[in-house]
Amino acid sequence: MFRFGNPEYLWLFVAMPLLLALYIYLNIKKRKDVQKMGVLSTLKKMMPELSLKRSYLKFWLIFAALCIAIFMISRPQFGTKVQTVEKEGIELVIAIDVSNSMLTEDVSPNRLARAKHILSRLIDVRSNDKVGLIVFAGEAYVQMPLTSDTQSAKIFLNTIDPSLVPIQGTAIGDAINLGMTSFSSDQSASRSIVVITDGEDHEGNAIEIAASVAKEGVQVNVIGIGSPSGAPIPSVEFGTQFMTDNEGNVVVSRLNEQMGMEIAQSGYGMYVRADNSNSAIQALVAQLDELETTTTSSLSYSEYDEKFTVFAWILLLILFIEILIYDKKNPLFRNIRIFSKD
């Protein structure tokens, strides 16, 4: 794959034909001016050291140098570049609730969108960590395995919506269990699971599971998203309407803070409620900063490798050759006849 990092500079090639036309015009004018002084063949005998071929060669070298310079400043890039990068961080698995109740709009613009914004900021701040993503509702699935490529994590995060998990519910315990299996085999790395949920329709024994993983050295933190007063859940099918129960009553979803606090306490972590400020992120980052970091080596892929240095060396060589060429014969190389007399 090939591209230019700054393709706008390629427009400078438009000036190259104009430069060539100007050179031809000046040469024709120069020849006519010389002819006014006498016959060209006679004038050449009077100036035996002059070599027009050298003058032409110098121009074409300068012309080529300008073309290469345009390519160079346009930053040609080709292929992929692999770098080994050492990072100091922890292993962080993020489990995000994608049940329909996460579409409730008691936080702006809705719980799920706010959750994704918070997690995107968290990934930015924790750029040295290895990050994995899990989505859950009635079941839990690995959305992205543990990786040090945090930019990919943000891309996966943007694709999350309730359609990823068709079975409704809030299986936090399953998400924590799946998070445990997502960590690497490196026992020296500090590990943490961050669950972001509204706790609506909580299923299973999440509190007991959080306690069990904490015994294995994994910290469980919970971010509550929503408000205790709650709000109606928008209908997925109709968009502008709200979900109703079997009796036709509008379903109101409320944040279950008590459940979140109990899970975090059992998991030796912290509970924080997310609002429209950055306080939740700041509190969670401070909590994760207390964990001991370890040094891990990972491969970092750069999609394009800069190739301008190749053109820079060619440009330098051409300019060096141009400097060595005189418009007339060099006295130091008088006996070397590379160019014949005009």
Side-chain angles (χ1 to χ4, degrees), residues 169-220:
T170 309
I172 299 175
D174 290 348
I176 296 175
N177 272 331
L178 188 58
M180 278 297 296
T181 64
S182 299
F183 290 115
S184 71
S185 57
D186 184 5
Q187 297 298 321
S188 64
S190 296
R191 297 174 291 176
S192 177
I193 297 175
V194 174
V195 180
I196 184 163
T197 180
D198 56 15
E200 186 72 10
D201 295 329
H202 167 50
E203 300 174 4
N205 51 348
I207 297 173
E208 292 78 7
I209 293 175
S212 67
V213 301
K215 293 178 181 178
E216 298 184 39
V218 178
Q219 183 187 85
V220 180

Side-chain angles (χ1 to χ4, degrees), residues 126 138 259:
R126 307 294 304 182
M259 180 273 302

Side-chain angles (χ1 to χ4, degrees), residues 96 98 112 116 133 135 143 156-162 164:
I96 180 170
V98 294
L112 183 58
K116 291 198 289 186
L133 289 178
V135 294
Q143 177 73 356
F156 276 98
L157 185 63
N158 290 331
T159 64
I160 290 175
D161 62 61
L164 293 176

Side-chain angles (χ1 to χ4, degrees), residues 69-302:
I70 294 174
F71 266 101
M72 185 179 69
I73 63 176
S74 299
R75 291 176 56 209
Q77 300 170 336
F78 183 80
T80 57
K81 183 178 182 180
V82 182
Q83 295 176 323
T84 300
V85 180
E86 286 192 350
K87 295 182 178 181
E88 284 197 1
I90 65 171
E91 293 186 358
L92 180 64
V93 172
I94 298 171
I96 180 170
D97 188 347
V98 294
S99 57
N100 288 336
S101 61
M102 290 291 286
L103 299 177
T104 304
E105 298 175 355
D106 50 357
V107 292
S108 178
N110 61 48
R111 294 176 182 176
L112 183 58
R114 184 62 188 165
K116 291 198 289 186
H117 174 73
I118 291 172
L119 295 181
S120 179
R121 291 288 305 277
L122 177 63
I123 292 171
D124 284 337
V125 175
R126 307 294 304 182
S127 58
N128 287 336
D129 296 340
K130 287 186 174 181
V131 179
L133 289 178
I134 289 174
V135 294
F136 69 94
E139 294 180 341
Y141 299 94
V142 174
Q143 177 73 356
M144 187 191 73
L146 200 69
T147 178
S148 58
D149 187 356
T150 54
Q151 293 305 310
S152 293
K154 293 182 68 175
I155 293 174
F156 276 98
L157 185 63
N158 290 331
T159 64
I160 290 175
D161 62 61
S163 65
L164 293 176
V165 184
I167 300 177
Q168 285 301 297
T170 309
I172 299 175
D174 290 348
I176 296 175
N177 272 331
L178 188 58
M180 278 297 296
T181 64
S182 299
F183 290 115
S184 71
S185 57
D186 184 5
Q187 297 298 321
S188 64
S190 296
R191 297 174 291 176
S192 177
I193 297 175
V194 174
V195 180
I196 184 163
T197 180
D198 56 15
E200 186 72 10
D201 295 329
H202 167 50
E203 300 174 4
N205 51 348
I207 297 173
E208 292 78 7
I209 293 175
S212 67
V213 301
K215 293 178 181 178
E216 298 184 39
V218 178
Q219 183 187 85
V220 180
N221 298 287
V222 180
I223 300 178
I225 188 82
S227 65
S229 58
I233 305 173
S235 174
V236 177
E237 290 81 7
F238 302 104
T240 57
Q241 299 180 358
F242 297 112
M243 293 182 62
T244 57
D245 58 21
N246 294 332
E247 298 178 357
N249 299 314
V250 174
V251 177
V252 177
S253 173
R254 295 179 174 84
L255 170 63
N256 188 347
E257 283 200 290
Q258 183 62 35
M259 180 273 302
M261 292 177 183
E262 292 177 358
I263 292 176
Q265 184 178 5
S266 298
Y268 296 150
M270 70 171 295
Y271 170 83
V272 60
R273 190 213 299 183
D275 52 24
N276 289 324
S277 69
N278 292 323
S279 58
I281 300 174
Q282 294 169 356
L284 182 58
V285 168
Q287 175 78 1
L288 295 176
D289 283 343
E290 295 180 1
L291 297 177
E292 184 178 355
T293 60
T294 56
T295 302
T296 58
S297 296
S298 59
L299 293 180
S300 176
Y301 292 87
S302 177

